Amino acid sequence: WANLKRLVPTMLRGSVIGTTVGAIPGPGPTIAAVIAYNEEKRWSKRGDDFGTGVDEGISAPEAANNAVVAGALVPALSLGIPGSGAIAVLIGVLISKNIIPGPALFSEGGPLVLAIFVGLIVCNLFLLLFGVFGIKYFAAILKIPGRLLGPFVMLLLIVGAYSYHNNIAHSFMVLVLGAIAYWLDRFKFSTIPVILGFVMGPIIEVNLNRALLISRGNIIHVITRPITLTIIVIAVITILFSYYRTKKS
């Protein structure tokens, strides 16, 4: 219980990041978890110990991963835009029941929206109880030697990559990218920017092409829009602040 109280601020920060990222169509839980981990590492007093199993490095990305679901419901229910594959399935189920997500859903389907929100609250309460009282049993996994657990996890990754699109090339990609990530870690390169690049690269490219088509190829018009300009300013401030902290340390 003492550790749980100590980790409450960490989980709250992760939940805020997860909800915010979830409300943006496209990124999904992977990006939310990576950003939460990176930010917690940046601000935590134990940031240098991240990667060794410290509590903050586990609770922050997991809280963000879970919070994405609630955030993804914002564009899904209000605009009918799915933020992830699971939310797309949910929208499909709603449409099959003649429930059309959109602004009219809140004015005409109030009881249904209330039921969804209450259901989310109840599910999270059950998750909390299940996690608190089951953690000592889950922790027993740590007693398994790494030399036995590692190959099993690797097998799950290879099978999961293959089953995603039934493509054997994806399994080979897991092995190749895993080897690259291993050597990056050995030479003290941060793998987080690489992960963000792989996940966000295609999303950014598609949406940039869409924005250029709408603006008829005028890139100045695209980057000077209020939301885009705000994101660019925040990115520049983050880069400068990170450089300043690194230089100071």
Side-chain angles (χ1 to χ4, degrees):
W1 286 105
N3 285 337
L4 183 61
K5 291 179 181 178
R6 180 173 58 83
L7 293 174
V8 165
T10 298
M11 291 187 287
L12 287 175
R13 286 192 292 267
S15 298
V16 170
I17 292 174
T19 304
T20 304
V21 173
I24 303 172
T30 303
I31 297 299
V34 170
I35 293 176
Y37 179 88
N38 193 41
E39 290 305 310
E40 192 63 31
K41 182 179 181 180
R42 186 197 309 271
W43 296 107
S44 175
K45 296 179 180 178
R46 305 176 66 189
D48 294 336
D49 296 329
F50 273 47
T52 61
V54 295
D55 297 337
E56 291 85 348
I58 298 173
S59 59
E62 285 301 318
N65 180 70
N66 291 336
V68 164
V69 178
L73 288 175
V74 174
L77 295 179
S78 61
L79 302 174
I81 301 174
S84 65
I87 298 298
V89 173
L90 174 63
I91 291 178
V93 172
L94 292 176
I95 293 176
S96 68
K97 301 297 182 182
N98 293 323
I99 301 171
I100 309 301
L105 179 62
F106 288 83
S107 59
E108 300 174 2
L112 174 64
V113 176
L114 180 62
I116 293 174
F117 291 158
V118 171
L120 275 173
I121 294 173
V122 172
C123 287
N124 279 282
L125 289 176
F126 272 107
L127 281 173
L128 176 62
L129 294 175
F130 189 67
V132 169
F133 292 105
I135 190 168
K136 64 179 180 179
Y137 303 106
F138 303 146
I141 298 176
L142 298 176
K143 297 180 180 180
I144 302 176
R147 63 180 183 276
L148 298 178
L149 189 62
F152 179 71
V153 173
M154 194 65 190
L155 180 62
L156 290 178
L157 290 172
I158 294 173
V159 173
Y162 171 77
S163 61
Y164 186 67
H165 278 303
N166 294 330
N167 190 342
I168 192 64
H170 291 173
S171 297
F172 288 108
M173 287 176 61
V174 168
L175 296 175
V176 173
L177 294 176
I180 294 173
Y182 171 78
W183 286 107
L184 286 175
D185 185 66
R186 284 292 300 271
F187 288 104
K188 306 300 181 182
F189 284 96
S190 176
T191 55
I192 292 177
V194 180
I195 296 172
L196 286 172
F198 268 105
V199 177
M200 292 298 294
I203 299 173
I204 294 173
E205 185 177 357
V206 169
N207 285 281
L208 178 60
N209 287 333
R210 184 179 294 122
L212 289 173
L213 286 173
I214 295 174
S215 64
R216 298 181 180 180
N218 189 348
I219 187 65
I220 301 299
H221 178 74
V222 173
I223 63 177
T224 53
R225 300 295 297 172
I227 295 178
T228 309
L229 191 59
T230 301
I231 294 174
I232 292 174
V233 170
I234 293 174
V236 171
I237 292 174
T238 303
I239 293 171
L240 294 176
F241 182 72
S242 300
Y243 175 78
Y244 170 75
R245 287 192 63 190
T246 304
K247 195 75 174 176
K248 185 178 179 180
S249 63

